[in-house]
PDB file of all heavy atoms in Angstrom:
ATOM      1  N   ILE A 121      12.043  -0.041   2.258  1.00  0.00           N
ATOM      2  CA  ILE A 121      10.778   0.696   2.206  1.00  0.00           C
ATOM      3  C   ILE A 121       9.955   0.304   3.428  1.00  0.00           C
ATOM      4  O   ILE A 121       9.693  -0.871   3.658  1.00  0.00           O
ATOM      5  CB  ILE A 121      10.002   0.349   0.904  1.00  0.00           C
ATOM      6  CG1 ILE A 121      10.815   0.744  -0.332  1.00  0.00           C
ATOM      7  CG2 ILE A 121       8.621   0.967   0.900  1.00  0.00           C
ATOM      8  CD1 ILE A 121      11.014   2.225  -0.513  1.00  0.00           C
ATOM      9  N   HIS A 122       9.571   1.278   4.227  1.00  0.00           N
ATOM     10  CA  HIS A 122       8.812   0.994   5.442  1.00  0.00           C
ATOM     11  C   HIS A 122       7.305   0.954   5.200  1.00  0.00           C
ATOM     12  O   HIS A 122       6.583   0.219   5.880  1.00  0.00           O
ATOM     13  CB  HIS A 122       9.126   2.045   6.506  1.00  0.00           C
ATOM     14  CG  HIS A 122      10.574   2.098   6.851  1.00  0.00           C
ATOM     15  ND1 HIS A 122      11.403   3.120   6.413  1.00  0.00           N
ATOM     16  CD2 HIS A 122      11.364   1.251   7.546  1.00  0.00           C
ATOM     17  CE1 HIS A 122      12.625   2.896   6.849  1.00  0.00           C
ATOM     18  NE2 HIS A 122      12.634   1.774   7.536  1.00  0.00           N
ATOM     19  N   PHE A 123       6.842   1.760   4.241  1.00  0.00           N
ATOM     20  CA  PHE A 123       5.407   1.860   3.974  1.00  0.00           C
ATOM     21  C   PHE A 123       5.151   1.882   2.473  1.00  0.00           C
ATOM     22  O   PHE A 123       6.000   2.306   1.694  1.00  0.00           O
ATOM     23  CB  PHE A 123       4.825   3.144   4.597  1.00  0.00           C
ATOM     24  CG  PHE A 123       5.048   3.221   6.077  1.00  0.00           C
ATOM     25  CD1 PHE A 123       6.074   4.000   6.590  1.00  0.00           C
ATOM     26  CD2 PHE A 123       4.248   2.507   6.964  1.00  0.00           C
ATOM     27  CE1 PHE A 123       6.307   4.070   7.956  1.00  0.00           C
ATOM     28  CE2 PHE A 123       4.473   2.576   8.333  1.00  0.00           C
ATOM     29  CZ  PHE A 123       5.500   3.351   8.831  1.00  0.00           C
ATOM     30  N   LEU A 124       3.964   1.443   2.096  1.00  0.00           N
ATOM     31  CA  LEU A 124       3.542   1.445   0.697  1.00  0.00           C
ATOM     32  C   LEU A 124       2.218   2.192   0.607  1.00  0.00           C
ATOM     33  O   LEU A 124       1.316   1.955   1.409  1.00  0.00           O
ATOM     34  CB  LEU A 124       3.349   0.009   0.206  1.00  0.00           C
ATOM     35  CG  LEU A 124       4.589  -0.868   0.329  1.00  0.00           C
ATOM     36  CD1 LEU A 124       4.210  -2.325   0.422  1.00  0.00           C
ATOM     37  CD2 LEU A 124       5.507  -0.621  -0.845  1.00  0.00           C
ATOM     38  N   TRP A 125       2.123   3.087  -0.363  1.00  0.00           N
ATOM     39  CA  TRP A 125       0.884   3.837  -0.586  1.00  0.00           C
ATOM     40  C   TRP A 125       0.384   3.431  -1.963  1.00  0.00           C
ATOM     41  O   TRP A 125       1.011   3.709  -2.974  1.00  0.00           O
ATOM     42  CB  TRP A 125       1.176   5.330  -0.526  1.00  0.00           C
ATOM     43  CG  TRP A 125      -0.009   6.234  -0.722  1.00  0.00           C
ATOM     44  CD1 TRP A 125      -1.194   5.950  -1.324  1.00  0.00           C
ATOM     45  CD2 TRP A 125      -0.100   7.604  -0.309  1.00  0.00           C
ATOM     46  NE1 TRP A 125      -2.010   7.046  -1.324  1.00  0.00           N
ATOM     47  CE2 TRP A 125      -1.371   8.074  -0.706  1.00  0.00           C
ATOM     48  CE3 TRP A 125       0.768   8.474   0.326  1.00  0.00           C
ATOM     49  CZ2 TRP A 125      -1.785   9.372  -0.468  1.00  0.00           C
ATOM     50  CZ3 TRP A 125       0.347   9.763   0.563  1.00  0.00           C
ATOM     51  CH2 TRP A 125      -0.919  10.213   0.176  1.00  0.00           C
ATOM     52  N   MET A 126      -0.759   2.759  -1.974  1.00  0.00           N
ATOM     53  CA  MET A 126      -1.360   2.340  -3.241  1.00  0.00           C
ATOM     54  C   MET A 126      -2.549   3.230  -3.559  1.00  0.00           C
ATOM     55  O   MET A 126      -3.411   3.466  -2.713  1.00  0.00           O
ATOM     56  CB  MET A 126      -1.832   0.881  -3.175  1.00  0.00           C
ATOM     57  CG  MET A 126      -2.442   0.425  -4.485  1.00  0.00           C
ATOM     58  SD  MET A 126      -3.151  -1.223  -4.388  1.00  0.00           S
ATOM     59  CE  MET A 126      -1.721  -2.169  -4.017  1.00  0.00           C
ATOM     60  N   ILE A 127      -2.580   3.709  -4.791  1.00  0.00           N
ATOM     61  CA  ILE A 127      -3.689   4.521  -5.285  1.00  0.00           C
ATOM     62  C   ILE A 127      -4.424   3.677  -6.317  1.00  0.00           C
ATOM     63  O   ILE A 127      -3.826   3.232  -7.294  1.00  0.00           O
ATOM     64  CB  ILE A 127      -3.186   5.825  -5.941  1.00  0.00           C
ATOM     65  CG1 ILE A 127      -2.321   6.616  -4.948  1.00  0.00           C
ATOM     66  CG2 ILE A 127      -4.356   6.656  -6.453  1.00  0.00           C
ATOM     67  CD1 ILE A 127      -1.494   7.710  -5.595  1.00  0.00           C
ATOM     68  N   LYS A 128      -5.712   3.425  -6.075  1.00  0.00           N
ATOM     69  CA  LYS A 128      -6.512   2.610  -6.989  1.00  0.00           C
ATOM     70  C   LYS A 128      -7.613   3.465  -7.599  1.00  0.00           C
ATOM     71  O   LYS A 128      -8.371   4.097  -6.876  1.00  0.00           O
ATOM     72  CB  LYS A 128      -7.169   1.431  -6.248  1.00  0.00           C
ATOM     73  CG  LYS A 128      -6.193   0.336  -5.876  1.00  0.00           C
ATOM     74  CD  LYS A 128      -6.865  -0.821  -5.172  1.00  0.00           C
ATOM     75  CE  LYS A 128      -7.737  -1.658  -6.029  1.00  0.00           C
ATOM     76  NZ  LYS A 128      -7.102  -2.575  -6.938  1.00  0.00           N
ATOM     77  N   GLY A 129      -7.678   3.459  -8.915  1.00  0.00           N
ATOM     78  CA  GLY A 129      -8.711   4.208  -9.618  1.00  0.00           C
ATOM     79  C   GLY A 129      -8.152   4.855 -10.871  1.00  0.00           C
ATOM     80  O   GLY A 129      -6.946   5.051 -11.000  1.00  0.00           O
ATOM     81  N   ASP A 130      -9.041   5.187 -11.788  1.00  0.00           N
ATOM     82  CA  ASP A 130      -8.642   5.755 -13.079  1.00  0.00           C
ATOM     83  C   ASP A 130      -8.332   7.245 -13.029  1.00  0.00           C
ATOM     84  O   ASP A 130      -7.806   7.801 -13.983  1.00  0.00           O
ATOM     85  CB  ASP A 130      -9.761   5.552 -14.116  1.00  0.00           C
ATOM     86  CG  ASP A 130      -9.991   4.098 -14.428  1.00  0.00           C
ATOM     87  OD1 ASP A 130      -9.042   3.308 -14.282  1.00  0.00           O
ATOM     88  OD2 ASP A 130     -11.120   3.749 -14.815  1.00  0.00           O
ATOM     89  N   TYR A 131      -8.681   7.913 -11.953  1.00  0.00           N
ATOM     90  CA  TYR A 131      -8.609   9.364 -11.893  1.00  0.00           C
ATOM     91  C   TYR A 131      -7.179   9.904 -11.968  1.00  0.00           C
ATOM     92  O   TYR A 131      -6.918  10.897 -12.631  1.00  0.00           O
ATOM     93  CB  TYR A 131      -9.296   9.849 -10.617  1.00  0.00           C
ATOM     94  CG  TYR A 131      -9.383  11.341 -10.503  1.00  0.00           C
ATOM     95  CD1 TYR A 131     -10.344  12.052 -11.214  1.00  0.00           C
ATOM     96  CD2 TYR A 131      -8.505  12.061  -9.700  1.00  0.00           C
ATOM     97  CE1 TYR A 131     -10.432  13.429 -11.124  1.00  0.00           C
ATOM     98  CE2 TYR A 131      -8.582  13.436  -9.597  1.00  0.00           C
ATOM     99  CZ  TYR A 131      -9.540  14.111 -10.315  1.00  0.00           C
ATOM    100  OH  TYR A 131      -9.622  15.473 -10.224  1.00  0.00           O
ATOM    101  N   TYR A 132      -6.237   9.256 -11.279  1.00  0.00           N
ATOM    102  CA  TYR A 132      -4.870   9.765 -11.206  1.00  0.00           C
ATOM    103  C   TYR A 132      -4.084   9.443 -12.464  1.00  0.00           C
ATOM    104  O   TYR A 132      -3.968   8.289 -12.844  1.00  0.00           O
ATOM    105  CB  TYR A 132      -4.135   9.181  -9.992  1.00  0.00           C
ATOM    106  CG  TYR A 132      -4.431   9.920  -8.714  1.00  0.00           C
ATOM    107  CD1 TYR A 132      -5.679   9.849  -8.118  1.00  0.00           C
ATOM    108  CD2 TYR A 132      -3.460  10.697  -8.102  1.00  0.00           C
ATOM    109  CE1 TYR A 132      -5.970  10.523  -6.948  1.00  0.00           C
ATOM    110  CE2 TYR A 132      -3.732  11.378  -6.926  1.00  0.00           C
ATOM    111  CZ  TYR A 132      -4.988  11.291  -6.360  1.00  0.00           C
ATOM    112  OH  TYR A 132      -5.261  11.966  -5.216  1.00  0.00           O
TER     113      TYR A 132
END
Side-chain angles (χ1 to χ4, degrees):
I121 299 293
H122 301 105
F123 302 100
L124 302 155
W125 181 338
M126 181 186 298
I127 304 165
K128 287 181 71 76
D130 295 333
Y131 185 78
Y132 277 70

